[in-house]
Amino acid sequence: MRVALLTNILTPYRVPVYEILAATPGWELRVMVNAESEFDRSWQVERGSLDVERVTGFALRRRIRARGRALYHQITTLHIPTGLPAALRRFAPDVVISAELGARTLIALLYARLTGTPLVIWSYHSRVGATGAGPLQRLWRRFLLANAQAVVGMGRQARDVLSGLGVPSERIFDAPNACDHDSVVRAVEGCEPEALRASLQERLGCRERIALVVGRLVPMKGVAPLIQAWEWLPEELRARWTLLFVGSGPLEALLREAEASADRGEIAHTPTVPPDEVAGYYAASDLLVFSSLGDPWGLVVNEALASGLPVLCSRLAGCADDLVRPGENGWHFDPHDPQEFARTLREAMESEDREALRDAARDTAGRFRPERMADGIRRAVQHAAAPPERASALETA
């Protein structure tokens, strides 16, 4: 069975999932991408043995303003893969998987209708991201999803969103997001935490304990609410901790201001580091803070948990319901409620159950591997490719 998987770019954290799918007996998988990279990414990706085709087209940058409670804006890339129809005709897939709900999926739908090819849509949203959509955008999403034989979501929030857009539960297949779990674990185990802490202390003035933030410095990541919550903490507590940001982006100036107004080592920043170096920061830290205002998931949470780091996670992140269990491996908070944010941040920093939290974090991460994600996508493809009578039987089973 030939399976075409359509996406924007090839990302390093997706390669293990695609490799598992490509190894499915009887499958010939081709990943069709729109670009090698995007303006806000700097990855070098090893394709390995994957069959990857770059489809011709063009891209536009656009500013998206979130609605409702998610008060942020961001610059994104809109891909128009004009060469996709020809690429699909050449490959002649038996099933098409299309990620996201944009032009790529519309072209895939038109191809599927003309050729009778089953279509699987891979779509995932956080609840807050979905509620920010306007009426026309919701109609567009409903139209595309209604014409797919199966829909892949990532976790509980995505399932809720898809159900709210009219997708029957029997056509929704969960494929929770996954990092390269084993690689993260090996990288962290190969680190020397004390040596890394000493290096960070010498280079950045980091203190006894580190609250780590990893990701792009953009409004959606909740950088400003986090800095505000940090300033509300008792001075004696902040004196023992460093709030360390690892990442780059347009909000670096905001961080420089925060650093300048604090004592040395209280707030620190280092630009984006290569993926294979992030493990050292996980190993040297005591807590990950993910203050997202509406990420569809938040893969950094997977990585932190796999590293044994408890996570203070925004309820607005798509991964919150699946990955973080308050009191067991982390904490939830609302980044739009400064008092709750500061109160929960203090609770996390004062927690004495660190070993139990670390064990629970590793246990959770072990259940969210690439194999589980690939299995969800594989089941969606099998459902879509099944004859109508068999698909109906599966739905009623």
Side-chain angles (χ1 to χ4, degrees):
M1 178 168 62
R2 290 184 300 278
V3 179
L5 194 155
L6 321 179
T7 188
N8 56 342
I9 62 174
L10 186 66
T11 54
Y13 52 84
R14 287 281 183 265
V15 169
V17 177
Y18 297 158
E19 288 177 336
I20 294 168
L21 290 174
T24 303
W27 278 33
E28 180 184 348
L29 178 71
R30 177 168 296 176
V31 181
M32 297 183 180
V33 301
N34 300 137
E36 291 295 326
S37 187
E38 292 188 346
F39 72 95
D40 57 349
R41 307 292 187 184
S42 56
W43 292 312
Q44 297 295 320
V45 184
E46 294 292 332
R47 297 181 178 184
S49 60
L50 282 178
D51 179 2
V52 180
E53 177 181 355
R54 181 175 176 179
V55 176
T56 58
F58 61 93
L60 303 171
R61 292 189 193 181
R62 57 177 179 169
R63 181 184 296 271
I64 294 179
R65 292 187 179 275
R67 301 166 182 258
R69 299 187 66 211
L71 302 176
Y72 65 86
H73 67 271
Q74 61 177 338
I75 305 297
T76 63
T77 303
L78 173 65
H79 291 282
I80 311 294
T82 53
L84 183 56
L88 288 170
R89 284 198 303 271
R90 286 193 301 272
F91 185 55
D94 298 295
V95 177
V96 175
I97 309 169
S98 185
E100 303 173 359
L101 295 172
R104 180 189 314 113
T105 297
L106 176 61
I107 294 171
L109 172 58
L110 294 174
Y111 174 86
R113 283 284 189 89
L114 288 171
T115 60
T117 305
L119 174 65
V120 176
I121 293 180
W122 185 3
S123 173
Y124 47 93
H125 303 270
S126 64
R127 292 190 191 97
V128 68
T131 56
L136 291 179
Q137 193 173 21
R138 289 181 63 84
L139 282 173
W140 169 261
R141 291 174 177 178
R142 282 179 173 272
F143 166 73
L144 292 176
L145 292 167
N147 285 278
Q149 281 68 49
V151 180
V152 176
M154 292 198 313
R156 298 176 189 174
Q157 290 199 25
R159 176 173 279 274
D160 288 350
V161 172
L162 292 169
S163 295
L165 289 170
V167 183
S169 60
E170 61 271 12
R171 286 202 283 120
I172 302 174
F173 294 82
D174 292 319
N177 209 356
C179 63
D180 189 349
H181 176 274
D182 293 343
S183 294
V184 172
V185 171
R186 284 195 300 269
V188 171
E189 289 177 345
C191 293
E192 297 182 8
E194 294 309 315
L196 291 165
R197 283 176 181 269
S199 173
L200 290 173
Q201 184 176 14
E202 179 180 355
R203 182 161 57 92
L204 300 173
C206 289
R207 298 171 176 176
E208 174 189 357
R209 295 195 180 280
I210 296 173
L212 181 66
V213 183
V214 177
R216 291 174 296 152
L217 299 178
V218 294
M220 187 175 69
K221 299 299 181 181
V223 176
L226 171 54
I227 291 174
Q228 181 185 29
W230 183 266
E231 292 173 348
W232 284 17
L233 295 174
E235 186 175 346
E236 62 273 16
L237 179 61
R238 286 186 282 129
R240 303 196 305 270
W241 283 77
T242 293
L243 180 61
L244 173 58
F245 291 85
V246 178
S248 302
L251 295 184
E252 288 184 48
L254 178 65
L255 280 190
R256 286 194 293 270
E257 282 182 31
E259 283 185 87
S261 63
D263 294 335
R264 184 175 188 270
E266 182 181 329
I267 296 177
H269 169 242
T270 189
T272 300
V273 300
D276 57 351
E277 294 182 19
V278 178
Y281 290 89
Y282 291 138
S285 299
D286 301 276
L287 173 72
L288 181 88
V289 183
F290 190 58
S291 51
S292 169
L293 302 183
D295 279 82
W297 184 262
L299 205 61
V300 66
V301 176
N302 294 68
E303 295 178 348
L305 294 173
S307 305
L309 268 187
V311 177
L312 180 66
C313 183
S314 163
R315 291 191 189 92
L316 307 185
C319 68
D321 295 21
D322 295 87
L323 290 182
V324 179
R325 302 192 303 275
E328 295 184 37
N329 64 4
W331 300 263
H332 286 158
F333 68 95
D334 183 347
H336 293 306
D337 184 336
Q339 291 184 334
E340 183 193 3
F341 194 168
R343 184 174 62 251
T344 313
L345 180 56
R346 178 176 182 175
E347 179 185 343
M349 292 166 66
E350 291 179 338
S351 173
E352 299 296 332
D353 299 327
R354 300 202 171 275
E355 286 309 310
L357 287 162
R358 286 182 177 276
D359 289 343
R362 295 187 187 97
D363 178 69
T364 299
R367 297 198 296 274
F368 290 82
R369 296 171 179 262
E371 291 83 358
R372 179 176 174 183
M373 187 176 190
D375 181 64
I377 298 172
R378 186 185 294 118
R379 288 186 292 106
V381 169
Q382 291 168 343
H383 177 91
E389 61 276 9
R390 181 166 173 249
S392 299
L394 290 172
E395 292 178 2
T396 56

